[in-house]
Amino acid sequence: SISNMASPYTVASVSQKDQAMDLYRKLQTEEDTLGVELDQLLEQQSQIDVQISTFKRIIPNLQTLHSDSQGLSAAITKASMLAESISGKVRVLDTAKRNVYAALKRVDDIIDLKNCVDGVQQAMTSGNYEQAAVHIRRYLDLDETVLLESAVDATKGSTVSSSFSFLKKAEIE
């Protein structure tokens, strides 16, 4: 603008042709400078328009992507909660499975104990002490503490206890 230029003249103070020419040259220089700046701004505007156009094309994709990512996040959260629920149920089933296997082992041991008692009684009655020794050996492999605890749990402690007493007595004889 004219006010920004360092000129001793103003349009109102110009009274001579030289002053007018000097002011005209300065105005012409400023117009040329402003023309160059305007060309640069117009050139930048085309680049900015291209970028804005690109953004306008990308924005719907970003909105879709945002929406899809929220849906995916919700699905992952739901899957995580479901996995945690299933994991808890699997832990419960594993505990039940261990308890069933332990119960089956105790039942097998009690059956072995009964077979040992029956085998020792038959072998002693028939005088077959070697066979009685085989049954006593099998009895010695059984865990008496576990069987007694199992029998107490099943309220048959006296039967298991008396079986152990019988086998201990037969072992001594």
Side-chain angles (χ1 to χ4, degrees):
S1 74
I2 297 175
S3 62
N4 289 342
M5 292 182 11
S7 173
Y9 310 114
T10 63
V11 174
S13 69
V14 173
S15 60
Q16 296 182 3
K17 183 178 179 184
D18 289 341
Q19 291 175 335
M21 288 303 288
D22 187 35
L23 187 58
Y24 174 75
R25 278 191 297 276
K26 288 183 182 184
L27 286 172
Q28 189 66 40
T29 302
E30 185 175 346
E31 182 181 352
D32 291 344
T33 303
L34 289 174
V36 169
E37 288 178 12
L38 183 60
D39 289 343
Q40 289 174 346
L41 288 174
L42 289 173
E43 189 177 297
Q44 288 177 354
Q45 181 175 353
S46 68
Q47 292 173 351
I48 290 171
D49 287 344
V50 168
Q51 289 177 344
I52 287 173
S53 174
T54 302
F55 286 140
K56 284 181 180 178
R57 284 191 314 262
I58 291 175
I59 285 175
N61 293 339
L62 290 176
Q63 289 171 337
T64 302
L65 181 63
H66 178 71
S67 175
D68 290 349
S69 66
Q70 285 180 328
L72 181 60
S73 176
I76 289 171
T77 299
K78 185 176 180 180
S80 173
M81 291 169 48
L82 182 60
E84 186 64 33
S85 173
I86 289 171
S87 176
K89 291 176 183 177
V90 167
R91 283 190 295 273
V92 168
L93 289 174
D94 281 345
T95 300
K97 179 180 171 184
R98 279 192 303 276
N99 290 342
V100 167
Y101 282 137
L104 287 173
K105 170 79 170 96
R106 285 185 263 178
V107 166
D108 285 344
D109 287 349
I110 290 171
I111 290 171
D112 276 349
L113 178 63
K114 182 185 179 312
N115 291 337
C116 287
V117 169
D118 292 345
V120 167
Q121 284 176 339
Q122 288 176 358
M124 296 290 274
T125 301
S126 66
N128 188 347
Y129 299 111
E130 283 183 27
Q131 188 64 33
V134 169
H135 288 291
I136 290 172
R137 177 70 192 128
R138 200 166 88 208
Y139 140 76
L140 291 173
D141 290 337
L142 299 176
D143 188 349
E144 183 176 348
T145 309
V146 172
L147 287 171
L148 287 173
E149 286 175 5
S150 297
V152 169
D153 290 344
T155 64
K156 293 194 178 184
S158 61
T159 305
V160 172
S161 187
S162 63
S163 295
F164 275 111
S165 296
F166 172 78
L167 289 171
K168 284 180 185 179
K169 186 175 162 187
E171 181 183 7
I172 295 170
E173 293 174 4

